Amino acid sequence: MKVIQVVSSNIPIQETGERRWGALELIQREYQKNLHKMGIECEIKWLNEVEYAPDTIVHIHVANLCLEAKQRGIPYIYSNHDHTSVHLGKGSWLYKQQLEAIKGSVFSIAHGESVLDFFGETDKLFYLPHGVDTSYYLPSPACMRNNSLLMVASNGMAGDYGIDRKGFRLGIEAAKKLDLPITIVGSEANAKFFEIHSDLLNYQKLTIDSSNPKESDKLKYFQSHRLFLHPSYLEFGSPCLTLLEARSCALPMVAAYDGSMKIDGLNKIDRLDVDDICSRIQYTLDNYEAFVYIMRQNREKHDWSNITKQLHKMYQAALDVRKFEDTPTVQKRYIETYAKRD
C-alpha cells in the first residue's frame, strides 16, 4: 500500500520546525507522520503530481479536487471538513458539490457524527474522529494554572466575520456574570469579529490574542488556564481539534458537543444560554480535581496514532472493496470488508 495525501491549500506542510499551519494541514501531517511510524509510505503531493497505481490510496480533503480527480479517472477517498455547507443549506452549490464528491469516491470520511445524517442521500460516508498529539499537548502542574477561562477558536463563517459560530458572546457574558477573567485566542479573523462586536471589549477582564499564535504558544495557553470553554453551535469535527487538545492537557472543558463518544473531563452544555453555561462552569470548578484526575487517565486514547490505525484499516478495506462493482449497496459491501479487520 502507498498513500498520497493531496495538498489542499497554499499553507506549507513542514516535516520539521515550528508547528504552525491550519487545522486541515495539521491533520494531513499527522496522518503522514503516523502512517510512516507504521511502515507505510505516505507522500503529500499536489493533485497534478499524482501518479495513480492499483495499490495507491489517494486521499483528498476538498470537494473540488475530488471532482477533478474523478475527471482524470483517479479513484479517491474524500474527507469532508467544510462546515459551511450546513450554514448554506442543502440547496446550496457547496452542499451539491460535496455530495457529488462523496458519491464519486471509493468511500468518504466525516469527522462529526451529525454530518452522516446531513448527507443522508449517500451510503458512502463513514465516521472517523479527529485525534491529538498527546506527546506534545501535555498537562501542566495544577499550580501553574490561573483562575481564567480559555477559548481557542477562529470566529466567523462563510466570509462573514460577524457570525458568532464559536459563541464568543456567550463565553464573555458567562465570564462577566461569574466575575472571571477570560482569554480568547485565535486568528486575525477574531480581530475583525471584535471590530463588529466592539461592545464585548468593554469587559475589563477580557484578554484577546488574535495573532494566530504558534503551536508552542497555544500550548502555553492550554497549560496556564483553568477551564476550557467552547459554546460553539456548529462544528464539522465532533470532537473538534481544540477539545481534544484541551483534553490531552488535562484542562477541564465546558463545551457544546453532539457526539456519542465519551470525552473525559467534558461537562456538556445542554443549551446555548448564559445561565446553563454559568452553571456548568461553576460545577466544573467546584469539582475541579476530580475532573483533572480522570483526564490524566488514559490520555493516549485519542492520540493520532490510534486514529491513524483506524484510518489504515479503512484504507485497506478500500483496496479490497475495489474488487467489487460500484453498486447502491457499496456501504454494505464496505462494512463487510471493514468489519473483517476489527
Side-chain angles (χ1 to χ4, degrees), residues 19 28-37 133:
R19 298 163 59 105
Q28 288 181 292
R29 176 68 184 101
E30 290 293 345
Y31 286 165
Q32 182 191 46
K33 181 176 68 176
N34 286 282
L35 285 168
H36 283 172
K37 290 179 181 178
D133 184 349

Side-chain angles (χ1 to χ4, degrees), residues 12-21 136-137 212-220:
I13 302 176
Q14 299 172 312
E15 295 200 14
T16 59
E18 178 60 61
R19 298 163 59 105
R20 186 171 188 170
W21 47 67
Y136 188 85
Y137 283 97
N212 191 23
K214 297 178 293 186
E215 205 82 357
S216 57
D217 292 327
K218 188 171 72 167
L219 173 61
K220 292 176 183 176

Side-chain angles (χ1 to χ4, degrees), residues 28-280:
Q28 288 181 292
R29 176 68 184 101
E30 290 293 345
Y31 286 165
Q32 182 191 46
K33 181 176 68 176
N34 286 282
L35 285 168
H36 283 172
K37 290 179 181 178
M38 297 169 63
I40 298 166
E41 182 181 357
C42 179
E43 297 179 288
I44 298 178
K45 291 185 173 183
W46 297 98
L47 183 59
N48 60 9
E49 298 174 326
V50 173
E51 295 181 4
Y52 175 70
D55 65 343
T56 299
I57 292 289
V58 179
H59 193 160
I60 304 176
H61 298 260
V62 290
N64 64 307
L65 292 179
C66 292
L67 303 186
E68 183 180 337
K70 185 178 180 181
Q71 289 176 348
R72 293 176 51 189
I74 300 173
Y76 62 86
I77 292 169
Y78 171 41
S79 279
N80 188 355
H81 304 273
D82 193 345
H83 61 266
T84 310
S85 57
V86 175
H87 173 66
L88 297 177
K90 290 193 173 186
S92 67
W93 67 270
L94 182 58
Y95 175 84
K96 294 174 182 177
Q97 183 187 67
Q98 291 178 351
L99 183 60
E100 183 180 355
I102 295 168
K103 288 183 174 181
S105 66
V106 179
F107 73 89
S108 293
I109 295 170
H111 304 282
E113 291 162 283
S114 62
V115 183
L116 303 182
D117 294 330
F118 185 63
F119 288 95
E121 298 91 331
T122 176
D123 63 357
K124 287 190 173 183
L125 194 58
F126 299 84
Y127 174 63
L128 179 72
H130 287 319
V132 61
D133 184 349
T134 57
S135 68
Y136 188 85
Y137 283 97
L138 295 168
S140 65
C143 60
M144 290 181 61
R145 300 202 187 280
N146 58 45
N147 201 35
S148 181
L149 308 178
L150 175 66
M151 299 182 72
V152 178
S154 293
N155 220 339
M157 184 161 49
D160 186 340
Y161 296 107
I163 294 177
D164 193 10
R165 178 169 72 96
K166 297 292 187 175
F168 286 179
R169 181 173 293 276
L170 286 169
I172 293 169
E173 289 178 353
K176 186 175 181 179
K177 192 168 184 177
L178 294 169
D179 193 29
L180 290 171
I182 182 169
T183 302
I184 297 179
V185 179
S187 71
E188 295 84 354
N190 289 353
K192 296 179 181 179
F193 172 86
F194 283 109
E195 287 177 8
I196 297 168
H197 300 276
S198 57
D199 62 298
L200 295 174
L201 300 174
N202 294 328
Y203 185 48
Q204 295 183 352
K205 294 185 177 182
L206 169 65
T207 301
I208 299 171
D209 180 352
S210 300
S211 66
N212 191 23
K214 297 178 293 186
E215 205 82 357
S216 57
D217 292 327
K218 188 171 72 167
L219 173 61
K220 292 176 183 176
Y221 280 117
F222 280 116
Q223 291 180 331
S224 61
H225 286 71
R226 191 159 182 84
L227 186 146
F228 187 71
L229 184 59
H230 192 75
S232 172
Y233 73 81
L234 176 59
E235 295 289 344
F236 236 42
S238 181
C240 65
L241 292 173
T242 51
L243 285 183
L244 293 173
E245 290 161 357
R247 187 256 179 275
S248 186
C249 291
L251 177 63
M253 300 166 281
V254 171
Y257 173 62
D258 63 2
S260 62
M261 186 168 58
K262 178 176 173 55
I263 309 296
D264 293 333
L266 189 151
N267 192 344
K268 181 180 174 181
I269 298 169
D270 288 334
R271 60 187 189 278
L272 290 175
D273 66 49
V274 174
D275 288 339
D276 185 57
I277 294 170
C278 287
S279 175
R280 300 287 171 181

Side-chain angles (χ1 to χ4, degrees), residues 297-336:
Q297 311 304 309
N298 304 314
R299 286 182 53 256
E300 293 76 18
K301 178 180 178 181
H302 302 293
D303 190 85
W304 278 116
S305 61
N306 294 322
I307 303 303
T308 307
K309 288 175 184 176
Q310 296 179 49
L311 180 64
H312 173 248
K313 290 194 292 184
M314 298 172 87
Y315 283 164
Q316 186 60 57
L319 293 179
D320 293 345
V321 86
R322 286 178 190 170
K323 301 172 185 176
F324 303 121
E325 293 182 2
D326 189 13
T327 72
T329 60
V330 66
Q331 186 178 57
K332 180 176 181 293
R333 293 183 181 277
Y334 178 79
I335 290 172
E336 288 173 350

